[in-house]
Amino acid sequence: MRRILVTGAGGQIGAELVPALRERYGPDRVVASDVRVPRSGAEPTAVRFETIDCTHLREIEGAVARHDVGTIYHLAALLSAVAEDKPRVAWEVNLGSLYRVLEVARQHGCAVFFPSSIGAFGPSTPRDRTPQDTLQRPTTMYGITKVAGELLCDYYATRFGLDTRGLRLPGLVSHVAPPGGGTTDWAVEIFTHAVRHRRYTCFVRPDSRLDLMYMPDAIRAMIELMEAPAARLRHRNAFNVTAVSASPEDLAGEIRAHLPDFEIDYEVDPLRQAIADSWPRSVDDSAARAEWGFQPRYDLASMTRDMLEQLGKKLRAAR
Ligand SMILES: NC(=O)c1ccc[n+]([C@@H]2O[C@H](COP(=O)([O-])OP(=O)(O)OC[C@H]3O[C@@H](n4cnc5c(N)ncnc54)[C@H](O)[C@@H]3O)[C@@H](O)[C@H]2O)c1
């Protein structure tokens, strides 16, 4: 069995995807990599780790050859708010690195997982029950790199027969690693601030409704998609997936069911608000459900309960 390489493994998703893959396929089968060296002690020395800058083809190729890699989960990217701040770097990292990963995959016969986003849609896309196949004219650099990435993955699949697969992920809620500068970071911060300070100042309006998903559902979805029989997949590279459609005031209300003294106020950041306003409020994920059986397990209530429980445990352990 060939190994799995995870790029950008030091981020919010990688922090939970790498342990999940190691648990499922064995510690030796998974190579974590990032441009940042992990904090000392974060990666046990017995497990495989490579420092890879994905904008350098030779670094990706060297690791793929050295570890006999057969599947690449390509997570390295700049997230939406950071990409808007540094559009040139975002183009190079988000699209340039995907192109290089696909080239290496073509030469070495690797399958590739590409995480697209609800940011791949734009203001002219229907915002409610956004269809799987619809207009995609994003107005952010992040969204532009995600649509182009979806198309590039389709191209490598049809032109070269590469096994490329992907999800349009919504905002992910998690408690292991902090979010990396996206438009839905508020959906993580609201929990950490609620547990620590009982109050949160949110950077988008109270009614900014977007799709969200709890990280365990997202990790399971990535692995299940990569394991799904290829013959069943019609939309290989850009499956809409969602679990929860919620606004800051919905999350605040749900948190108050557990922490009645929680308070929220708003200082709207125009840049991130404009990005949020250009994204869908909820997507239609029926293609993912039909083609490979996608089924999230967490709704707003169970995600909130688990987040508060896990963060509470962490806080008590730290004291
Ligand atoms: N987290 C979400 O809510 C979400 C939602 C939709 C899509 N996604 C996508 O999932 C992927 C991973 O997201 P995340 O939340 O873990 O992001 P993150 O910002 O937390 O982590 C990204 C990682 O990529 C690394 N990186 C940056 N430039 C690199 C380079 N040149 N070479 C190698 N590594 C590099 C960073 O060091 C970081 O550890 C991204 O493609 C993102 O667009 C995330």
Side-chain angles (χ1 to χ4, degrees):
M1 291 282 262
R2 298 171 74 197
R3 291 197 176 84
I4 298 167
L5 173 68
V6 181
T7 72
Q12 189 193 3
I13 297 180
E16 299 192 47
L17 178 63
V18 169
L21 291 171
R22 284 184 174 145
E23 168 87 28
R24 185 160 182 83
Y25 303 112
D28 186 58
R29 289 241 359 250
V30 182
V31 185
S33 75
D34 203 287
V35 70
R36 295 181 287 166
V37 180
R39 278 173 291 117
S40 128
E43 276 282 331
T45 45
V47 300
R48 293 173 186 262
F49 180 86
E50 290 274 350
T51 306
I52 299 177
D53 179 342
C54 291
T55 59
H56 296 161
L57 187 136
R58 287 224 176 94
E59 293 185 17
I60 306 166
E61 183 157 41
V64 165
R66 262 194 308 284
H67 296 279
D68 187 23
V69 168
T71 301
I72 305 174
Y73 284 79
H74 178 49
L75 304 183
L78 301 194
L79 298 201
S80 54
V82 183
E84 228 32 47
D85 198 37
K86 302 177 189 160
R88 193 185 60 79
V89 185
W91 176 266
E92 187 51 21
V93 174
N94 293 15
L95 208 52
S97 74
L98 175 63
Y99 168 69
R100 290 173 181 89
V101 162
L102 289 169
E103 267 305 291
V104 172
R106 184 171 71 81
Q107 285 156 22
H108 291 262
C110 307
V112 175
F113 173 82
F114 170 64
S116 187
S117 154
I118 52 170
F121 299 113
S124 51
T125 304
R127 290 190 70 202
D128 296 298
R129 298 275 305 153
T130 302
Q132 172 67 42
D133 301 307
T134 185
L135 208 59
Q136 288 179 266
R137 306 283 298 171
T139 47
T140 61
M141 178 52 89
Y142 182 70
I144 291 165
T145 62
K146 289 300 184 189
V147 181
E150 291 178 4
L151 295 174
L152 203 56
C153 288
D154 280 346
Y155 178 78
Y156 271 76
T158 49
R159 176 82 170 77
F160 303 117
L162 212 66
D163 188 0
T164 55
R165 305 182 184 195
L167 301 174
R168 290 187 186 127
L169 292 168
L172 300 180
V173 176
S174 70
H175 54 81
V176 174
T183 304
T184 52
D185 286 10
W186 61 265
V188 177
E189 292 169 2
I190 194 171
F191 288 106
T192 49
H193 287 240
V195 169
R196 281 195 211 128
H197 315 296
R198 296 292 192 270
R199 60 173 304 116
Y200 178 57
T201 301
C202 184
F203 58 77
V204 293
R205 283 193 317 268
D207 63 344
S208 301
R209 174 175 299 281
L210 285 173
D211 276 318
L212 302 173
M213 191 184 289
Y214 199 28
M215 191 63 89
D217 277 334
I219 300 295
R220 203 165 42 78
M222 291 177 216
I223 296 174
E224 283 175 5
L225 172 62
M226 292 308 281
E227 289 184 353
R232 286 187 59 199
L233 305 180
R234 210 165 61 76
H235 299 88
R236 315 184 118 254
N237 286 310
F239 283 101
N240 284 0
V241 283
T242 185
V244 174
S245 169
S247 64
E249 64 188 356
D250 295 336
L251 247 58
E254 198 62 41
I255 289 172
R256 266 190 219 108
H258 301 266
L259 306 171
D261 55 344
F262 174 64
E263 287 175 20
I264 186 163
D265 61 5
Y266 297 88
E267 266 173 37
V268 172
D269 167 10
L271 183 114
R272 286 182 286 184
Q273 184 67 58
I275 299 176
D277 288 342
S278 75
W279 287 1
R281 284 183 283 259
S282 68
V283 301
D284 172 4
D285 61 6
S286 49
R289 288 171 188 260
E291 291 178 39
W292 50 279
F294 168 67
Q295 181 73 61
R297 290 180 187 156
Y298 287 88
D299 61 11
L300 180 58
S302 50
M303 175 178 84
T304 303
R305 199 179 320 114
D306 200 57
M307 275 295 283
L308 294 175
E309 206 175 294
Q310 299 301 331
L311 289 167
K313 267 191 220 159
K314 262 193 193 175
L315 191 67
R316 284 192 294 278
R319 274 176 182 160

